[in-house]
Amino acid sequence: MIPFDDPTILFTNAGMNQFKDVFTGKRRTEYSRATSSQKCIRAGGKHNDLDNVGFTARHHTFFEMLGNFSFGDYYKEEAIYFAWEFVTRDLELPKDKLYATVYETDDDALALWAKIAPELKDGRIMRFGKHDNFWSMGDVGPCGPCSELHFDRGEKFGTGPEDKVNGETERFVEIWNLVFMQDDQLADGRIVPLPKPSVDTGAGLERIASIVQDVDSNYGIDLFQNIIVAISDITGTRYKDNASSHHVIADHIRALTFAIADGAGISNEGRGYVLRRILRRAARHGRLLGANEPFMYKLVPVLVNEMGQAYPEIREKQSHVESVIQAEEESFLRTLETGLQLFEKISSQTRSSGRKIIDGEEVFRLYDTYGFPYDLTEIIAGEQGLTLDREGFDKAMVKQQEQSRAGATFKAESFAHRDKFDALNLNLLPTEFVRGELTLKAKAIAVVGDDKSAAIVLDRTPFYIESGGQISDTGRLFTDTFEFEVESLHLYNDLHFHVGRVTRGSLDELKELPVQVTAQVESARRWDIMRNHTATHLAHAALRKVLGDHVKQSGSYVGPDRLRFDFSHHQPMTPEEIAEVEKIVNNQILTGKDVQTNVMALDDARKAGAMALFGEKYGDKVRVVSVEGFSMELCGGTHVDNISQIGPFFVTVETGIASGVRRMEAITGRGAIDYMLANKAFKQDVASLVNRPEADALEGVKQLKETISSLQKELKKTREQMFAGGGGEIGQSQEVGGVTIATNDFGETDRDTMGAWLDKQKAMANPVLAVAVGMTNGKRAFMAAASGSAVSQKKIDVGRLTKSVLPKFGGRGGGKESFAQGGIETSASVEELFRAVEAWVKESLS
């Protein structure tokens, strides 16, 4: 459900996602037809049903999509026939309850429905426009006109003018969508024909089940019953008293469980932010049912019992899923409390200003920052006799959505010269990837571009194309008189495109194709990549040993400089755990075991215990990369021959990237050796500085730190004594309207020194305003304080002074009546600042 290898979508939102490269021609398969049942999430991006869940009988964030596909095989006629046959013969749905829709210009589909299903010729074959009958996966990717089957659930669901096919009511339900894939939407806005017209169909399992089981709502089918009962039991409420909240929670716990089990995390961006919204929406509905403590994690075992047999991954990751959801629920309750406090402040300000409507910007801030849905804020406001500025909220929402789209534009996979290659209309055999060679003879069989930028297709190549987290190779193609630098590689129609530029000779030398060239991968770089890739497998196995079997890969990067491994885990690793992972991996490397690679049937590999890695697509035959007795992974990448070739292994980064997802970065080989030598030099330098042997250097640093701490305490005490004895002698002072304004520019100093001087001034019995400026850590700090009589008698407010004066000097700050602090630009004039303070005091007193 998490498309880690597809940046154009947040979640798998349709059965066709896994076949996108087949539709576009980037990948070929041995088969031309397929069927599937695909778990999907539609919440975020182009296909977003989140806000509809709970308010309709048919919408979900998580659902299972049934589909059948044709890759240049059958087309419209067979697709329509298969759909009609399945719905009327196998599901036995009454023909007089069915309607077909087609795209407004698709005369072929209209005629085929009339031919295959003559029962519909009584006006139940209908044309619709692009909004209803044209499908695309996202902003980019395959697309085409579609034809749908709708089921009429009867007059009890409505008889008004709005109760119509493709309407928004519950009477007519779309149950089958046939997409005739014929175009590809590119990132630059162009729409180009796909290599072969294909078929993508989709049918929601839950919708079909609701009709077959004859229930009023998708939530009435058997899959939901035990979950809904559990929600009632946990919250102590009855389903019939608030069905909508039960529906929301039942749907959302499915989306969260399946997404987290597949390696997703909860965070403030991308898919993590969508999952956070889903969880908070469900938690909010839990509060409506009286659940004021974390409760959703308790539903996970119920869902696992319901669907764990069909989807064993949620059973395997059950404890991890529960931990992530519980932690996020607890976090939301704290955020909710803060948000409620903010609402009280906002509502108080609204009432005190004589208004009855809360500003839409403020309502949106509660929504965006604290997870308050509009309707929750509306309920709380109503309890206080207030209403909300809906128009202002909607404007803020639109503004944020526009900013989000602008900042997160998805990029489609493409490469230079693809259009030029398509124009050649060549019929070439797939490029053979020769795994075990770094240099070989090959034939250039297609060339497009010029000397500055070109793409060359070879019949065979040693160059690896980015996949499964491992980045592409670089290198060169050459003859006696010609050389071409390979900067990137792309896969299209099973052909390997070597993209780069001519560095010697001219592209004209490849005019008479085929031409024999030598293909040479940059050897040192490939070896660095292979070390890191094999080390990734070892690290994965070590993490599972140290942290538990719930650890699952959630993404990776394998380059020459480092390896990055994202994995499911609900809390930061301790230094001891990181050290244990390093120890296990390095001890394995010392065993010098061979890396074994076997090609076998996918089912046999799974039975043998091989783990699948994200970013890989598997056929009937798979490559199994293993280190005997330690690691076994399905992987199409390149690896060392023996793990001793990896060299040292060191973890350099361990951090969280989302709730429930951690990131580890590590180095091996040459990078690890440089790291060791740098650490050795550092240790020698430290030993020299503290004048100790290397073995005792750390003890010397500790002693030095204690000495510095002691001296700092003595210095602070001396300064306090100095100011206590004669603080008034430091700086300048003048009287304005009965207030003594004391100022001092300390130059290079620290905040303790400034604070000690201010404390002395603040303790004065007469009205005193003290202002201190100083350079601390390369920044110009500002601190101010007022004595008690200055506040009570002269109404001096240092917080207001700071907010009023500092922006004029490129700074900002804030505080209370008697003390405030902030900063100003280092280039600002301190004298002018002090004069501005004096002017503010005069104005304040007047």
Side-chain angles (χ1 to χ4, degrees):
M1 267 178 28
I2 311 302
F4 290 102
D5 58 338
D6 187 348
T8 67
I9 50 176
L10 290 174
F11 301 98
T12 297
N13 58 28
M16 63 78 58
N17 290 169
Q18 64 179 310
F19 300 120
K20 185 177 77 170
D21 290 347
V22 182
F23 284 124
T24 59
K26 184 180 176 183
R27 180 168 64 100
R28 292 180 182 174
T29 62
E30 297 176 357
Y31 48 87
S32 59
R33 300 182 178 196
T35 60
S36 71
S37 177
Q38 173 67 49
K39 52 188 180 180
C40 301
I41 283 184
R42 288 192 174 176
K46 178 179 175 63
H47 300 283
N48 183 0
D49 289 336
L50 176 58
D51 293 332
N52 291 321
V53 174
F55 299 100
T56 75
R58 64 188 184 279
H59 284 101
H60 302 283
T61 55
F62 171 88
F63 66 100
E64 296 176 81
M65 181 179 282
L66 311 179
N68 59 283
F69 307 90
S70 163
F71 313 115
D73 190 324
Y74 62 81
Y75 198 43
K76 292 183 182 181
E77 181 167 7
E78 294 89 342
I80 291 172
Y81 175 80
F82 291 154
W84 185 250
E85 179 186 55
F86 182 78
V87 168
T88 59
R89 187 194 70 184
D90 298 323
L91 296 183
E92 299 181 345
L93 298 185
K95 296 177 181 180
D96 61 349
K97 293 287 188 181
L98 295 167
Y99 289 73
T101 66
V102 300
Y103 187 50
E104 56 191 354
T105 61
D106 195 345
D107 296 335
D108 292 341
L110 187 77
L112 286 168
W113 275 114
K115 171 186 172 184
I116 294 167
E119 298 90 342
L120 303 181
K121 288 196 293 183
D122 59 358
R124 286 184 287 139
I125 307 173
M126 311 167 73
R127 296 180 188 264
F128 286 89
K130 193 167 186 178
H131 178 268
D132 295 301
N133 277 70
F134 192 93
W135 196 91
S136 58
M137 191 179 75
D139 295 330
V140 294
C143 57
C146 62
S147 180
E148 299 172 339
L149 269 174
H150 295 253
F151 185 81
D152 180 2
R153 303 174 73 194
E155 292 184 355
K156 71 174 182 176
F157 289 92
T159 57
E162 69 279 5
D163 297 300
K164 58 186 179 180
V165 173
N166 272 331
E168 294 299 324
T169 66
E170 305 298 341
R171 176 167 175 175
F172 292 90
V173 179
E174 174 209 329
I175 60 170
W176 203 285
N177 188 9
L178 313 174
V179 182
F180 305 125
M181 289 290 189
Q182 58 191 44
D183 297 312
D184 189 9
Q185 174 78 54
L186 302 182
D188 60 11
R190 290 179 300 126
I191 296 179
V192 299
L194 290 173
K196 297 177 181 178
S198 300
V199 173
D200 155 33
T201 80
L205 173 65
E206 293 81 0
R207 288 191 187 185
I208 289 179
S210 71
I211 292 171
V212 172
Q213 295 177 23
D214 194 23
V215 293
D216 291 347
S217 155
N218 288 7
Y219 296 94
I221 66 174
D222 48 8
L223 273 176
F224 282 98
Q225 293 312 295
N226 289 333
I227 302 172
I228 288 174
V229 169
I231 294 169
S232 295
D233 290 344
I234 292 172
T235 61
T237 58
R238 294 186 304 175
Y239 170 69
K240 66 179 183 179
D241 292 337
N242 192 334
S244 292
S245 290
H246 281 75
H247 293 172
V248 169
I249 296 166
D251 171 88
H252 290 5
I253 192 61
R254 298 200 327 160
L256 290 164
T257 298
F258 277 90
I260 295 169
D262 269 4
I266 299 176
S267 66
N268 283 328
E269 58 184 14
R271 67 174 63 92
Y273 177 66
V274 174
L275 293 176
R276 175 159 282 163
R277 279 193 62 203
I278 290 174
L279 185 141
R280 291 183 172 185
R281 189 169 187 262
R284 198 269 297 183
H285 278 274
R287 288 176 73 88
L288 295 179
L289 298 179
N292 296 317
E293 298 294 329
F295 74 98
M296 288 188 62
Y297 72 96
K298 298 176 183 177
L299 297 171
V300 176
V302 183
L303 176 61
V304 169
N305 286 337
E306 194 70 41
M307 302 184 74
Q309 183 175 356
Y311 295 104
E313 63 270 23
I314 64 172
R315 190 180 300 280
E316 294 166 6
K317 300 295 182 291
Q318 178 178 335
S319 62
H320 172 66
V321 172
E322 290 178 21
S323 297
V324 172
I325 292 178
Q326 182 179 6
E328 187 64 22
E329 284 189 274
E330 292 170 348
S331 172
F332 177 53
L333 289 176
R334 292 191 294 270
T335 302
L336 196 64
E337 192 60 39
T338 305
L340 287 170
Q341 293 172 7
L342 176 61
F343 176 83
E344 288 302 321
K345 183 178 180 180
I346 293 170
S347 62
S348 176
Q349 291 172 346
T350 302
R351 286 192 300 269
S352 63
S353 66
R355 292 180 289 120
K356 290 280 188 177
I357 302 175
I358 297 177
D359 182 70
E361 288 274 359
E362 296 288 5
V363 178
F364 181 76
R365 184 154 67 100
L366 284 167
Y367 165 82
D368 194 45
T369 306
Y370 298 98
F372 274 49
Y374 182 90
D375 52 348
L376 173 61
T377 308
E378 191 172 41
I379 291 169
I380 301 172
E383 292 170 352
Q384 300 186 16
L386 300 173
T387 58
L388 308 184
D389 169 20
R390 181 76 206 209
E391 184 179 351
F393 173 85
D394 289 340
K395 285 181 179 178
M397 173 70 81
V398 169
K399 182 180 178 181
Q400 190 239 35
Q401 289 172 341
E402 289 174 349
Q403 292 172 340
S404 177
R405 280 194 292 268
T409 301
F410 295 131
K411 296 180 179 178
E413 170 67 16
S414 188
F415 63 94
H417 315 299
R418 171 178 158 177
D419 292 346
K420 295 177 184 177
F421 174 78
D422 287 340
L424 296 176
N425 199 27
L426 299 176
N427 185 20
L428 302 174
L429 293 175
T431 302
E432 176 191 0
F433 172 52
V434 182
R435 186 175 295 276
E437 302 290 338
L438 295 179
T439 302
L440 56 75
K441 298 291 184 182
K443 292 177 182 177
I445 55 176
V447 179
V448 287
D450 53 39
D451 288 353
K452 293 182 178 179
S453 177
I456 300 175
V457 180
L458 304 181
D459 65 334
R460 57 201 299 264
T461 182
F463 287 84
Y464 182 83
I465 293 182
E466 181 172 349
S467 178
Q470 179 179 330
I471 67 173
S472 297
D473 287 325
T474 57
R476 64 186 187 131
L477 310 178
F478 63 92
T479 67
D480 292 340
T481 58
F482 167 82
E483 187 166 326
F484 181 85
E485 182 181 350
V486 178
E487 299 169 336
S488 63
L489 288 107
H490 300 272
L491 181 67
Y492 179 57
N493 276 341
D494 279 354
L495 299 172
H496 291 219
F497 287 77
H498 305 71
V499 178
R501 60 190 179 90
V502 175
T503 55
R504 181 166 57 92
S506 169
L507 209 59
D508 291 339
E509 299 186 34
L510 302 185
K511 274 186 175 180
E512 300 297 327
L513 297 174
V515 175
Q516 182 168 287
V517 298
T518 300
Q520 185 177 72
V521 173
E522 188 179 339
S523 176
R525 183 177 181 275
R526 163 71 84 81
W527 269 102
D528 288 337
I529 292 172
M530 292 193 298
R531 292 185 185 101
N532 284 334
H533 201 157
T534 307
T536 300
H537 288 214
L538 300 183
H540 190 183
L543 284 165
R544 289 172 64 86
K545 288 181 181 296
V546 174
L547 303 179
D549 289 341
H550 65 276
V551 168
K552 182 177 182 179
Q553 182 178 343
S554 299
S556 69
Y557 163 86
V558 179
D561 54 333
R562 71 191 190 284
L563 67 91
R564 186 186 73 221
F565 188 80
D566 300 338
F567 59 96
S568 53
H569 188 55
H570 55 274
Q571 62 188 20
M573 292 179 67
T574 65
E576 292 76 19
E577 288 170 337
I578 294 172
E580 184 64 18
V581 168
E582 289 179 320
K583 183 178 179 181
I584 290 173
V585 172
N586 281 303
N587 282 341
Q588 275 297 315
I589 291 170
L590 290 176
T591 64
K593 295 177 183 175
D594 287 337
V595 177
Q596 299 173 346
T597 301
N598 296 294
V599 177
M600 62 179 72
L602 179 60
D603 288 342
D604 291 340
R606 284 174 171 158
K607 289 175 183 177
M611 294 186 64
L613 299 179
F614 281 105
E616 296 284 352
K617 290 185 172 69
Y618 304 111
D620 292 334
K621 295 289 185 180
V622 294
R623 294 182 72 251
V624 179
V625 177
S626 59
V627 175
E628 186 180 359
F630 189 73
S631 169
M632 181 182 291
E633 313 272 14
L634 302 183
C635 183
T638 62
H639 292 270
V640 297
D641 301 316
N642 184 287
I643 57 175
S644 64
Q645 295 168 318
I646 295 173
F649 169 89
F650 296 109
V651 175
T652 56
V653 174
E654 195 283 331
T655 187
I657 59 171
S659 179
V661 180
R662 307 297 300 175
R663 169 168 290 173
M664 183 185 76
E665 294 188 6
I667 52 177
T668 67
R670 294 188 297 173
I673 291 171
D674 291 342
Y675 179 79
M676 290 169 57
L677 294 175
N679 279 347
K680 180 181 179 182
F682 174 78
K683 189 174 181 181
Q684 290 172 338
D685 290 344
V686 171
S688 176
L689 284 171
V690 297
N691 199 24
R692 294 283 191 100
E694 285 186 35
D696 297 333
L698 181 59
E699 202 58 44
V701 171
K702 289 179 181 178
Q703 187 176 1
L704 182 61
K705 184 180 178 182
E706 291 172 0
T707 302
I708 292 172
S709 178
S710 177
L711 289 172
Q712 286 175 334
K713 290 178 182 177
E714 289 184 26
L715 179 60
K716 182 178 179 181
K717 184 177 179 182
T718 300
R719 285 171 174 162
E720 289 173 350
Q721 291 173 345
M722 177 178 68
F723 294 134
E729 299 174 2
I730 296 175
Q732 298 78 39
S733 66
Q734 59 179 318
E735 189 170 311
V736 175
V739 177
T740 300
I741 302 176
T743 58
N744 189 42
D745 182 359
F746 282 83
E748 288 288 342
T749 186
D750 57 58
R751 289 184 177 272
D752 286 342
T753 301
M754 295 167 66
W757 180 76
L758 287 172
D759 287 342
K760 171 61 181 175
Q761 305 300 325
K762 186 178 176 182
M764 297 287 186
N766 58 307
V768 175
L769 169 63
V771 178
V773 176
M775 293 294 295
T776 64
N777 299 320
K779 297 180 180 179
R780 194 177 294 279
F782 171 95
M783 298 173 72
S787 64
S789 58
V791 174
S792 60
Q793 297 174 18
K794 299 296 183 178
K795 307 302 180 185
I796 296 296
D797 187 328
V798 180
R800 284 198 300 113
L801 161 69
T802 303
K803 290 182 179 179
S804 174
V805 173
L806 263 55
K808 300 174 183 177
F809 297 87
R812 62 178 182 173
K816 300 179 180 179
E817 292 178 329
S818 58
F819 177 78
Q821 58 184 332
I824 60 173
E825 288 282 352
T826 55
S827 59
S829 168
V830 177
E831 290 78 8
E832 290 183 15
L833 173 68
F834 290 158
R835 283 197 291 271
V837 169
E838 181 184 345
W840 183 90
V841 172
K842 288 179 181 178
E843 183 181 347
S844 177
L845 293 175
S846 66

